[in-house]
């Protein structure tokens, strides 16, 4: 067994890695290409960085391509994102035309790789038109949607539906997101990599170092939300929750740690709104971190008493699983993929308002035994359900099914 697979076997179990080997055997040597729109920042890049090498370890000829666009393209795809998550955003014909043109330019560059591929995974709406630009494709094409499309703004979804209808299959993170499409749909929630810098065990020295670096007091309570500065992540709502909770825990500190994704043009505006809401409170630490600050984020999540993810819409929310894996209760918005991870009052709390979040913060900070117990349950729940190995097993199953390579029997 390769070194990497051995390490996963150590964390997830030998049997889990055995299943992966069994499922990947019929796919050995196949060319599998993943395409998305950013190499760093956001959950999709975070996942591909690990999923692609692990497929390679299993003998699959996997690769990862990133499309390139200009500011106007990313502004339009951000509008897509916002509209698919329910905002009533109008996207003009000119914007759509430019979106298609950028895809045409990328199609020219990627054509040799994509036409030769056995399986292509296209992630999210940004590169979705590529399929229509590959008349000579020979492989199976799968649209992988990471967004909460449970209640999309209809005019935008109608346009995108026509773009993605031609795929052989699509993958959504949960049943509530599945759509009326003329092909098979798989429900595969994302995952975290327990061996990555973001999630590996850390020594106390690294945790102490973040207290010093960001001027945090290790003797006072700390709540942390890690997120891009995006309105759906509700950073301003987190500040409101903190303010309510601080009335009962005067020493409370808040970290809002974020960075920007190269395909997210709204980050700076939301960061400014967040800073304005913080109003110079010295116990609110708004951190703009570089995209490779994985160990710092890991240490901040470990330093926290409670993790927040107060999103109002969320495709999955890797940060929830990341916090839970570190044995922390997570207080998360009652929406989308967060509902899959937080079993209310068991692995964390689901909330709908800043006041609700503040009540839960107050409760946990005053019931330390409950806080510890919830954190332990949260970690086991992630081990059972949201590690990379489970995610890969489900992708492999879909790939085997779609390529018709299934043997008579696969022992799962
Ligand atoms: N992340 C990061 N730096 C940041 C903000 C987020 O590395 O400044 C990571 C975070 O730890 C998580 C991912 O980016 O792994 C965000 O994924 P999630 O599903 O939570 O949200 P998305 O950004 O995809 O909406």
């Amino acid at each position: 067994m390769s070194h990497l697979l051995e390490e996963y076997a150590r964390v997830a179990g030998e049997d889990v890695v055995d299943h992966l080997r069994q499922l990947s055997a019929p796919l050995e040597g196949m060319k599998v290409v993943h395409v998305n729109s950013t190499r760093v920042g956001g959950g999709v890049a975070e996942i591909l960085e690990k999923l692609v090498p692990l497929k390679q370890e299993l003998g699959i000829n996997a690769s990862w391509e990133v499309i390139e666009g200009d500011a106007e393209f990313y502004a339009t795809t951000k509008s897509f994102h916002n509209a698919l998550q329910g905002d009533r955003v109008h996207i003009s014909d000119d914007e759509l035309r430019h979106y298609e043109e950028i895809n045409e330019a990328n199609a020219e560059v990627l054509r040799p790789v994509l036409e030769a591929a056995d399986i292509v995974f296209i992630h999210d709406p940004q590169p979705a038109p590529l399929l229509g630009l590959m008349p000579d494709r020979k492989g199976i094409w799968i649209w992988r949607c990471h967004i909460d499309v449970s209640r999309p703004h209809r005019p935008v979804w109608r346009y995108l539906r026509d773009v993605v209808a031609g795929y052989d299959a699509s993958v959504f993170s949960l049943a509530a997101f599945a759509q009326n499409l003329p092909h098979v749909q798989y429900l595969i929630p994302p995952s975290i990599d327990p061996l990555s810098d973001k999630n590996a065990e850390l020594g106390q020295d690294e945790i102490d170092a973040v207290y010093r670096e960001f001027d945090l007091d290790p003797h006072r309570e700390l709540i942390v939300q890690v997120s891009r500065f995006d309105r759906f992540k509700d950073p301003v709502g987190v500040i409101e929750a903190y303010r309510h909770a601080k009335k009962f825990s005067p020493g409370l500190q808040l970290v809002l740690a974020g960075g920007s994704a190269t395909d997210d043009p709204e980050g700076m505006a939301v960061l400014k709104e967040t800073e304005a809401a913080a109003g110079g409170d010295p116990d609110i630490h708004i951190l703009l971190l570089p995209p490779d600050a994985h160990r710092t984020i890991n240490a901040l999540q470990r330093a926290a008493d409670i993790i927040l993810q107060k999103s109002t819409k969320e495709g999955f929310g890797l940060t929830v699983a990341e916090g839970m894996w570190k044995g922390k209760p997570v207080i998360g918005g009652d929406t989308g993929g967060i509902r899959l991870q937080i079993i209310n009052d068991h692995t964390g709390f689901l909330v709908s308002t800043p006041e609700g979040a503040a009540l839960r913060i107050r409760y946990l900070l005053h019931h330390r035994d409950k806080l510890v117990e919830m954190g332990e349950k949260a970690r086991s729940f992630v081990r059972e359900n949201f590690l990379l190995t489970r995610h890969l097993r489900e992708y492999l199953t879909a790939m085997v099914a779609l390529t018709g390579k299934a043997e008579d029997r696969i022992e799962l």
Side-chain angles (χ1 to χ4, degrees):
M1 208 188 281
S2 80
H3 177 61
L4 191 59
L5 288 173
E6 263 171 41
E7 282 192 61
Y8 283 103
R10 196 170 44 73
V11 182
E14 292 285 345
D15 52 335
V16 170
V17 172
D18 274 353
H19 284 155
L20 295 181
R21 300 186 77 79
Q22 208 186 134
L23 275 167
S24 59
L27 303 168
E28 203 175 328
M30 274 200 183
K31 291 196 188 92
V32 176
V33 186
H34 288 265
V35 184
N36 81 325
S37 63
T38 178
R39 187 76 61 186
V40 288
V44 181
E46 185 87 16
I47 289 166
L48 290 179
E49 202 172 316
K50 299 298 161 184
L51 198 67
V52 171
L54 200 50
K55 282 186 180 171
Q56 290 166 349
E57 287 284 326
L58 289 163
I60 298 168
N61 185 354
S63 60
W64 173 14
E65 302 289 344
V66 177
I67 60 163
E68 283 178 17
D70 54 15
E72 201 187 329
F73 173 77
Y74 293 124
T76 301
T77 57
K78 182 73 188 181
S79 298
F80 263 109
H81 184 94
N82 292 343
L84 293 170
Q85 296 209 136
D87 283 358
R88 301 177 63 78
V89 184
H90 174 69
I91 305 181
S92 72
D93 288 347
D94 282 353
E95 287 167 327
L96 291 176
R97 185 70 213 119
H98 186 65
Y99 164 70
E100 290 161 6
E101 280 164 6
I102 290 284
N103 269 282
E104 282 160 24
N106 279 283
E108 289 320 307
V109 178
L110 297 176
R111 188 176 306 286
V113 180
L114 296 183
E115 281 187 347
D118 298 296
I119 303 177
V120 177
F121 283 93
I122 296 288
H123 293 264
D124 286 336
Q126 295 92 329
L130 286 175
L131 172 77
L133 300 163
M134 299 287 158
D136 295 327
R137 61 142 171 157
K138 74 176 176 76
I140 302 279
W141 282 57
I142 300 163
W143 185 54
R144 200 315 175 203
C145 178
H146 297 267
I147 302 172
D148 178 347
V149 284
S150 49
R151 298 173 69 95
H153 181 44
R154 282 288 149 189
V156 174
W157 170 248
R158 271 198 294 275
Y159 168 86
L160 189 66
R161 186 186 183 281
D162 287 345
V163 174
V164 301
Y167 280 77
D168 299 300
S170 48
V171 179
F172 295 92
S173 294
L174 54 153
F177 302 166
Q179 290 292 331
N180 180 14
L181 285 164
H183 54 231
V184 60
Q185 295 174 50
Y186 290 86
L187 301 178
I188 305 182
S191 62
I192 59 163
D193 178 7
L195 302 180
S196 66
D197 279 346
K198 178 73 57 67
N199 297 307
E201 293 299 321
L202 293 184
Q204 188 59 39
D205 53 329
E206 281 193 71
I207 299 167
D208 291 343
V210 295
Y211 285 120
R212 285 194 300 275
E213 184 177 352
F214 300 116
D215 203 17
L216 300 166
D217 181 347
H219 305 295
R220 290 196 276 139
E221 299 98 334
L222 174 64
I223 54 177
V224 171
Q225 174 159 307
V226 175
S227 280
R228 289 179 297 107
F229 288 96
D230 178 313
R231 291 191 188 94
F232 288 119
K233 311 281 185 186
D234 199 14
V236 172
V238 172
I239 290 177
E240 270 182 62
Y242 152 87
R243 289 227 162 91
H244 289 301
K246 201 167 169 77
K247 291 179 205 149
F248 303 97
S249 303
L252 189 62
Q253 308 168 89
L254 167 66
V255 165
L256 284 165
S260 56
T262 53
D263 61 349
D264 180 357
E266 281 178 4
M268 278 304 142
V270 179
L271 173 63
K272 290 217 164 64
E273 290 166 20
T274 309
E275 284 170 343
D281 181 334
D283 284 336
I284 301 180
H285 302 258
I286 299 174
L287 312 178
L288 202 55
L289 300 174
D292 59 354
H294 301 303
R295 292 188 86 85
T296 305
I297 289 176
N298 186 343
L300 283 168
Q301 288 166 330
R302 287 179 194 280
D305 294 288
I306 299 166
I307 300 287
L308 298 185
Q309 191 54 55
K310 218 207 98 14
S311 308
T312 54
K313 284 275 177 179
E314 191 62 78
F316 181 69
L318 288 178
T319 49
V320 174
E322 288 166 7
M324 290 168 69
W325 181 242
K326 281 140 203 156
K328 307 292 170 173
V330 180
I331 299 176
D334 186 4
T335 187
I338 297 179
R339 290 182 178 148
L340 215 56
Q341 303 177 72
I342 296 181
I343 309 299
N344 194 38
D345 206 8
H346 189 69
T347 64
F349 286 112
L350 291 169
V351 296
S352 307
T353 59
E355 293 78 5
L359 269 177
R360 300 316 193 184
I361 295 168
R362 178 186 167 194
Y363 171 78
L364 286 172
L365 291 180
H366 290 92
H367 296 85
R368 284 279 162 179
D369 50 336
K370 182 76 178 172
L371 185 150
V372 170
E373 184 194 325
M374 223 179 216
E376 282 164 5
K377 285 183 187 160
R379 182 173 163 92
S380 341
F381 196 62
V382 171
R383 187 196 305 282
E384 291 299 313
N385 297 289
F386 299 118
L387 295 186
L388 182 61
T389 36
R390 185 277 310 155
H391 192 185
L392 182 56
R393 186 187 71 217
E394 292 178 352
Y395 266 135
L396 294 174
T397 308
M399 286 156 71
V400 168
L402 285 164
T403 51
K405 297 277 184 194
E407 290 178 20
D408 291 349
R409 194 180 76 180
I410 296 173
E411 282 173 31
L412 284 175

